[in-house]
């Protein structure tokens, strides 16, 4: 039996306690966690394989490679009431021998109470036996825009995150 790792969740964003939660995962052969990791953490590659995020910027400098504590902004495309997100990386550890890569950031948007949104977007990238890689991404959202997203069937976040995973794996597989 193979045990798979899980996302480490801060209590405030524990799945099932917010207004919207999505979970997406892929497991594929022929790609390693080490190959996937740079495409996930280097934001300059995102727009080449994922069309639902634009205008990644680093208001405090640094970037484009994510690291713990880094502040960045981005514009989600096709996210309805969700607009420019202000994010901070809270965990960033590359995959290593027997240990998964872990990346997560908090993000949000300010505004009137009905526009406020807080999220924790987390990623786990791990090698599995048999030359396989597993990429898991999960997001908890809190606030009125999240309530509206959760009412939609299917949840647009679920579809956007699945597209992100597909693009990430294709980029890592193709080496573009």
């Amino acid at each position: 039996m193979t045990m798979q790792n899980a996302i480490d969740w801060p209590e405030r964003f524990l799945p099932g306690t917010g207004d919207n939660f999505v979970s997406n995962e892929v497991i594929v052969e022929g790609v390693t966690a080490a190959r996937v990791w740079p495409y996930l953490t280097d934001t300059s590659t995102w727009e080449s394989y994922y069309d639902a995020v634009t205008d990644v910027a680093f208001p405090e400098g640094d970037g484009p490679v994510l690291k713990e504590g880094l502040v960045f902004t981005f514009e989600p495309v096709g996210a309805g009431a969700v607009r420019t997100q202000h994010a901070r990386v809270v965990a960033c550890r590359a995959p290593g021998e027997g240990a998964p890569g872990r990346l997560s950031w908090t993000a949000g948007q300010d505004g009137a109470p009905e526009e406020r949104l807080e999220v924790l977007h987390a990623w786990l990238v791990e090698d599995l036996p048999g030359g396989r890689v597993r990429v898991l991404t999960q997001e908890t959202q809190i606030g009125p825009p999240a309530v509206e997203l959760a009412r939609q069937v299917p949840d647009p976040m679920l579809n956007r995150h699945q597209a992100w995973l597909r693009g990430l794996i294709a980029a890592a597989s193709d080496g573009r």
Side-chain angles (χ1 to χ4, degrees):
M1 174 158 69
T2 301
M3 295 298 293
Q4 294 179 347
N5 290 286
I7 302 289
D8 295 328
W9 287 97
E11 190 170 331
R12 173 153 176 68
F13 293 101
L14 192 63
T17 64
D19 295 313
N20 192 21
F21 172 77
V22 295
S23 180
N24 299 74
E25 176 181 52
V26 294
I27 298 175
V28 297
E29 286 183 309
V31 170
T32 64
R35 182 81 179 142
V36 170
W37 190 252
Y39 289 97
L40 177 59
T41 57
D42 184 347
T43 62
S44 70
T45 68
W46 289 2
E47 290 184 51
S48 72
Y49 67 82
Y50 180 57
D51 64 2
V53 67
T54 63
D55 299 324
V56 178
F58 303 90
E60 297 178 4
D62 246 343
V65 178
L66 300 178
K67 64 182 180 182
E68 206 162 310
L70 183 71
V71 172
F72 67 105
T73 61
F74 62 95
E75 185 74 31
V77 176
V82 179
R83 56 185 195 281
T84 301
Q85 297 291 290
H86 303 274
R88 177 180 299 276
V89 178
V90 294
C92 187
R93 187 178 67 223
E97 187 63 38
R102 293 182 181 277
L103 173 66
S104 62
W105 59 78
T106 56
Q109 66 185 32
D110 296 325
E114 66 275 5
E115 297 172 335
R116 289 193 186 124
L117 177 69
E118 292 179 78
V119 305
L120 181 85
H121 192 147
W123 296 82
L124 187 137
V125 181
E126 68 180 328
D127 289 317
L128 298 176
R132 299 173 300 145
V133 69
R134 173 181 179 237
V135 183
L136 171 67
T137 186
Q138 298 180 325
E139 182 169 309
T140 294
Q141 305 170 329
I142 301 168
V147 172
E148 182 56 35
L149 282 171
R151 288 183 182 137
Q152 297 178 37
V153 178
D155 185 327
M157 289 302 299
L158 188 68
N159 289 337
R160 279 197 297 280
H161 288 177
Q162 197 64 35
W164 199 340
L165 285 172
R166 276 192 227 108
L168 175 63
I169 293 299
S173 297
D174 296 344
R176 48 177 175 175

